[in-house]
Amino acid sequence: MSFEEMWAALRPVGRDAETGGYHRFAWTPAEVECRSWFADEARRRDLEIETDPNGNLFAWWFPPGNGRGDAVVTGSHLDSVPGGGAFDGPLGIVSAFAAIDLLRERGVRPSRPIGVAAFAEEEGARFGVACLGSRLLTGAIAPYRARGLRDRDGRTLADVLTGHGLDPERIGPDEGLLSRIGCYVELHVEQGRALDAPVGVASAIVPHGRWRFDLAGEGNHAGTTRLKDRRDPMLPFARLVLAAREAAERNGTLTTVGRVEVAPNGVNAVPSAVTAWLDGRGPADDAVRRTVAEVHEAALRAAREHGVGVELAEESYTEVVDFDVPLRDRLAAVLGGVPVLPTGAGHDAGILASRVPTAMLFVRNPTGVSHAPAEHADAEDCLAGVEALTTVLKELAGG
Ligand code: HGY
Ligand code: MN
Ligand code: MN
């Protein structure tokens, strides 16, 4: 299966025919279908398939006589944000299989194992914590907390894993597996407009996190409740959204309120509760922390004014990730001096970096649009990415 054929096979899975956006939430039928695709492509290449207790997938090429340790692992994720693009995640996995094909066609016999990884729930779109699979693998989230995470239907991760044949009591750090990974290199579509060459190398991931605001008021009748009698959580919510933008402008950070839930969500009912999620990112930890604190203060002020309660919870936070400098420079050099750039997007590579030498390759995104149906990378740039990954795997895995 060529790159184009693999891409064509994945393309329709979980794709909304009207919007062209993807809905591949972890462990839903569309993502499970992607998992089956992954296993088919691994089998096609006689790669040994491993599903770790956290639901992360691995496909291993163990050249005879090389043992099973010190592997060069590449890959990305199969899940998407709601209405996401086609490239965010799958490009890294399709490219990994295509790179293995090129290595074999060119007679390369690696002296280290090569693994292709598909990490579970990278977007956190179902259970709310980004990079959940890689966080569990590396011990970056406590298993008991992960087991209790709930999706929008109230189903826990523990239940969902059980439903897919995994034992929720076994999730958590896997030192054995981590000890077999010598380094990790993730290829990903660039999610911005900073890359003006087909391929680049990542220098860092900026600090980023997610916070949940729970605003509790009092439900009531829209037509018979006087304004001065209301405890409407929608008002502090509105103030919070505007404060988020103002705080971002003040602190040179990025804030997004992209998800909100209103109870009971009726046209003629004053809401009883509003839950809003804040995505905050920026060049430095203190700027991000200051931004969130200012948003929280604004929400508290407005909440007091309206007799509404406010609870703030940090759902995930990732400090700045500086990728392994020798590995980064080695990749940039072997690729002939491609651009080296930071990113504001989180990745499993950013989580693995705390445990193994890690690097990222970016493939140019001409518009920079991501997390939306219009996300795109030109075919020739995708193939340049496969060539680059092939070069990198040959460089690192030897042969
Ligand atoms: O949210 C992110 O930055 C990544 O796409 N998970
Ligand atoms: Mn993403
Ligand atoms: Mn991604």
Side-chain angles (χ1 to χ4, degrees), residues 77 81 88 122-123 188 191 370-371:
H77 60 94
V81 296
D88 178 352
E122 188 277 342
E123 295 293 1
H188 203 284
Q191 294 168 296
S370 185
H371 283 188

Side-chain angles (χ1 to χ4, degrees), residues 103-242:
L103 288 172
R104 288 173 169 177
E105 281 166 28
R106 296 171 183 173
V108 175
R109 189 187 169 290
S111 56
R112 295 166 68 179
I114 291 178
V116 179
F119 289 102
E121 180 69 330
E122 188 277 342
E123 295 293 1
R126 182 170 183 182
F127 293 101
V129 173
C131 301
L132 184 57
S134 53
R135 288 180 197 268
L136 279 165
L137 170 61
T138 58
I141 184 171
Y144 80 87
R145 178 182 167 213
R147 275 191 285 272
L149 292 172
R150 291 183 184 275
D151 67 12
R152 299 172 196 225
D153 300 324
R155 296 193 63 201
T156 64
L157 175 70
D159 289 345
V160 170
L161 291 179
T162 304
H164 289 277
L166 292 170
D167 176 358
E169 290 308 312
R170 293 190 58 230
I171 67 174
D174 188 335
E175 296 305 329
L177 174 48
L178 286 171
S179 68
R180 287 188 272 133
I181 301 175
C183 64
Y184 176 61
V185 179
E186 179 167 357
L187 180 144
H188 203 284
V189 65
E190 152 68 349
Q191 294 168 296
R193 297 194 299 200
L195 179 57
D196 56 5
V199 174
V201 172
S203 56
I205 298 177
V206 304
H208 58 286
R210 300 181 185 192
W211 291 264
R212 190 187 71 250
F213 284 85
D214 288 303
L215 306 169
E218 179 182 62
N220 217 322
H221 194 293
T224 56
T225 312
R226 297 181 303 178
L227 293 183
K228 69 182 179 67
D229 294 336
R230 293 182 181 208
R231 295 197 297 115
D232 184 349
M234 204 57 108
L235 279 298
F237 164 68
R239 184 72 206 99
L240 177 160
V241 174
L242 294 171

Side-chain angles (χ1 to χ4, degrees), residues 58-60 68-75 112-117 119 137 177-187 323-328 330-331 348-349 351-360 389 391-398:
F58 294 86
W60 297 105
R68 304 167 84 89
D70 197 28
V72 177
V73 178
T74 183
R112 295 166 68 179
I114 291 178
V116 179
F119 289 102
L137 170 61
L177 174 48
L178 286 171
S179 68
R180 287 188 272 133
I181 301 175
C183 64
Y184 176 61
V185 179
E186 179 167 357
L187 180 144
F323 286 113
D324 185 273
V325 173
L327 185 58
R328 178 199 74 189
R330 189 174 170 193
L331 266 55
D348 292 305
I351 304 300
L352 268 286
S354 65
R355 300 299 308 272
V356 299
T358 298
M360 287 193 76
L389 185 58
T391 301
V392 161
L393 293 179
K394 183 173 186 299
E395 165 74 12
L396 298 176

Side-chain angles (χ1 to χ4, degrees), residues 246-301:
E246 292 154 9
E249 286 164 351
R250 241 187 337 266
N251 292 289
T253 53
L254 294 176
T255 53
T256 308
V257 179
R259 181 183 170 193
V260 61
E261 288 179 355
V262 182
N265 210 21
V267 173
N268 57 351
V270 177
S272 56
V274 172
T275 301
W277 282 265
L278 174 70
D279 181 306
R281 312 194 188 205
D285 280 317
D286 58 355
V288 177
R289 296 285 183 195
R290 199 167 46 248
T291 300
V292 176
E294 290 172 10
V295 177
H296 190 199
E297 281 157 32
L300 284 170
R301 271 197 307 275

